[in-house]
Amino acid sequence: MAELTAAAVVDGIGNSSEVAELSRLAAQVAARVGVRKGRMAGLLAAAELYGDPGATVVEPDAVAVLALAEPGEDTRLAWVGDCRAWGFDGQRLRQYSTDHSMGEHLRYNGGKRIDLEKARLYDNWVLATLGRAVVARVCQVDIPDPLVILTSDGVHDSLDEDELDGLVHAHPDDPQALADALTAAARADENGYRDDATAVVLRHHR
């Protein structure tokens, strides 16, 4: 049986020690259950650590992405919220996930009338989280590229896609160096706030 690698990024909503501790535990649960039961089961198992899926407000809460990589196969992804998954085929960096945010909802459903600058103001309004996760809210995708990158919004919100692309092209064969470069490049916003930045890089040969 081929070796199966699981990796998860869980980005807690908030900055308390409770949020950080629960995020680490949720990532472990997602990865461990994901290896045995699959990506959907892995994320939903992590969701069980949080509140009632029917609750309007869940505290603490988090967003997450889980990847299952097996040599010779597409990498299998599941996510909820605004953590992102990217694939790099050696030439092109592509975003495979779609943020579960009000800003993204407006872009897709607002038609030609939507003001893209105004839509950006709603990017931090997350519509789906682990605390409210059910099967219908967890999205899945398969990534055929040999290099897969998982990022929290602390990375991809502070770097534009050209910067991300440049870092990936600079470290295509060294996953740890790329992950370190992505988190080191994350910047503070105009108010001086630097969000937690997390990146996981998986590389396997088909």
Side-chain angles (χ1 to χ4, degrees):
M1 182 177 178
E3 182 179 355
L4 181 62
T5 299
V9 170
V10 176
D11 187 12
I13 298 173
N15 298 300
S16 69
S17 58
E18 181 186 16
V19 167
E21 182 178 355
L22 192 55
S23 296
R24 286 191 291 269
L25 179 58
Q28 293 177 24
V29 169
R32 289 177 181 274
V33 176
V35 166
R36 296 178 56 246
K37 301 287 187 177
R39 52 187 161 178
M40 177 67 73
L43 269 193
L44 291 179
E48 289 298 312
L49 299 174
Y50 294 86
D52 183 352
T56 302
V57 177
V58 178
E59 293 181 353
D61 207 349
V63 294
V65 58
L66 170 65
L68 300 178
E70 186 175 354
E73 303 291 337
D74 292 350
T75 299
R76 302 187 294 278
L77 265 293
W79 78 95
V80 59
D82 60 355
C83 288
R84 290 183 185 173
W86 313 75
F88 182 63
D89 62 5
Q91 295 183 330
R92 178 192 176 198
L93 177 67
R94 176 183 173 187
Q95 181 181 335
Y96 280 85
S97 60
T98 301
D99 293 351
H100 297 148
S101 68
M102 180 57 74
E104 200 69 6
H105 174 78
L106 291 173
R107 291 184 191 94
Y108 273 87
N109 298 287
K112 295 181 179 180
R113 296 174 297 173
I114 186 65
D115 185 325
L116 295 181
E117 286 302 311
K118 287 185 177 179
R120 289 183 58 200
L121 300 176
Y122 295 93
D123 281 339
N124 287 328
W125 182 350
V126 181
L127 299 178
T129 64
L130 282 178
R132 292 168 290 189
V134 293
V135 171
R137 289 187 175 182
V138 177
C139 289
Q140 302 178 79
V141 70
D142 293 345
I143 298 182
D145 303 326
L147 192 69
V148 173
I149 304 152
L150 312 179
T151 58
S152 69
D153 64 350
V155 174
H156 54 253
D157 280 357
S158 64
L159 303 176
D160 62 37
E161 197 155 334
D162 287 340
E163 291 174 305
L164 285 168
D165 186 75
L167 290 172
V168 172
H169 276 86
H171 306 282
D173 300 315
D174 192 334
Q176 188 60 58
L178 176 54
D180 291 341
L182 289 168
T183 54
R187 298 184 295 267
D189 62 19
E190 61 273 12
N191 298 315
Y193 174 71
R194 185 183 186 276
D195 198 2
D196 296 332
T198 303
V200 173
V201 182
L202 299 172
R203 180 172 181 82
H204 66 279
H205 298 283
R206 295 188 57 79

